[in-house]
Amino acid sequence: MAGKRDYYEVLGLKKGATEDEIKRAFRKKAMEYHPDRNPGDKTAEEKFKEVNEAYSILSDPQKRERYDRFGHAGVDPNAGFGGGGFGGFDFGGFGGFDDIFGDLFGGMFGGFGQSSGRRRNGPRKGQDLQKNITITFEEAAFGTKKQIQVNKYVNCESCGGSGAEKGTAKTSCPKCGGSGEIRTTQRTPFGQFTNIQTCDRCGGTGEVVEKPCHKCGGAGKVRNTVTISVDIPSGVDNDSVISLKGQGEPGINGGPNGDLYVVISVEPHPLFTRKGNDLWLDMPITFSQAALGDEIIVPTLKEKVSYKIPAGTQPETIFRLKGKGIKSLKSSKVGDLYVKVTVEVPTKLTGEQRKLIEKLGETFSHEGYSKRKKFADAMRDLFKS
């Protein structure tokens, strides 16, 4: 068994790993090296075989015990330990691991790991799709309904998705006998190896169409643009995803349709910015409003509300209007509206206005400017001798 890597090392584990740790490690490595994800990559294919071999031993308590005691010799069918190894593994097409993938992945990747005829001919979920749409700020806040168009494969109406011309049916493939695979077995000094290849006559489906449908050419589906209604709930934000079950592409061999994932983008608003479920608004006020106080009209997403600002309001003071934000997507809670006032200084003055402001400024003492007084005191302390 020279040259064979330690099975724990193959899965990135230490001896004594738990059953759950072995299963998680296998899941990670199998997804990384699976041929479906690495088409034509011979190195990845070899690593995938190695990972599967390691898992088949370490996941079996009896084989693992022998391996822990005797190493690779303990699971070698030719080493005199009772044939407990893996002679008969379907290394060529990975067909010996269907049960492993079924238990671990549960079909979540559609065709992932489905190399045996039994799995290839079984029902498979259709392709999931993604559609990006842009909505307005208000639509995101209050919810809306959109009609979107998706270009996708749909079942052929003429043949009902069978691929066979109306009045005819599919027949079992004569080359593979309906298995979808061509198997060749070879006995070697290291055990029996079975090479599994997809049947080139039926493409692995196990069935052939003698008289293809005139509309879809035997594919059973055609590409079409369909209109789908989407209910967008209130509170969605950028990158929110709405799942529409069954609105993806048709399933294979009677499997369920895939799903459609609608990804939301929200246009910016000219007045409001959003932070979670809270809204923020920069609102300019005049010097006289800030100095004397005033009742100002504040816009919200739904209406205008009045708010009384006190005399002596300083620039960038923030007021909170409770419950004037956006409703949470996951609960009935509503955010708040935060209003930050900015004092706007006029840029154009008449001569009379200038004189009035100068005269007004002469009447103010340092006591009327608390921040200016503190600054002056600090500057005096900085330069005193």
Side-chain angles (χ1 to χ4, degrees), residues 287 355-369 372:
F287 168 76
K355 289 179 181 180
L356 288 172
I357 291 175
E358 289 174 349
K359 187 176 292 185
L360 179 63
E362 292 172 356
T363 65
F364 291 132
S365 66
H366 284 303
E367 300 300 325
Y369 294 101
R372 185 178 179 186

Side-chain angles (χ1 to χ4, degrees), residues 175-337:
K175 185 170 184 178
C176 64
S179 69
E181 306 173 328
I182 303 297
R183 293 176 175 238
T184 55
T185 302
Q186 181 180 8
R187 198 174 286 276
T188 73
F190 301 102
Q192 179 175 290
F193 291 85
T194 301
N195 180 50
I196 304 175
Q197 293 181 324
T198 300
C199 175
D200 58 359
R201 173 73 185 276
C202 65
T205 65
E207 296 178 312
V208 292
V209 177
E210 297 294 344
K211 191 174 181 182
C213 170
H214 71 279
K215 186 172 182 180
C216 65
K221 53 187 178 180
V222 294
R223 183 166 286 279
N224 197 8
T225 299
V226 298
T227 300
I228 300 172
S229 179
V230 185
D231 287 317
I232 300 175
S234 58
V236 296
D237 203 352
N238 281 306
D239 298 325
S240 290
V241 179
I242 299 172
S243 174
L244 300 180
K245 192 172 182 62
Q247 294 290 356
E249 294 191 339
I252 300 170
N253 295 329
N257 288 355
D259 301 326
L260 172 63
Y261 295 94
V262 181
V263 182
I264 303 296
S265 294
V266 182
E267 294 176 345
H269 196 278
L271 292 179
F272 301 101
T273 55
R274 180 175 176 178
K275 297 180 181 178
N277 295 320
D278 296 326
L279 292 176
W280 285 75
L281 172 67
D282 288 342
M283 186 167 182
I285 60 175
T286 66
F287 168 76
S288 60
Q289 286 177 314
L292 304 177
D294 195 8
E295 189 167 334
I296 60 176
I297 302 300
V298 180
T300 72
L301 279 178
K302 288 185 177 180
E303 58 192 354
K304 298 177 183 178
V305 298
S306 62
Y307 186 86
K308 190 170 184 178
I309 57 174
T313 295
Q314 298 299 305
E316 299 191 352
T317 296
I318 297 174
F319 301 105
R320 183 180 72 155
L321 301 183
K322 193 172 182 180
K324 297 298 183 182
I326 294 177
K327 179 184 173 297
S328 171
L329 182 62
K330 299 180 180 179
S331 70
S332 59
K333 184 180 179 181
V334 180
D336 302 324
L337 171 60

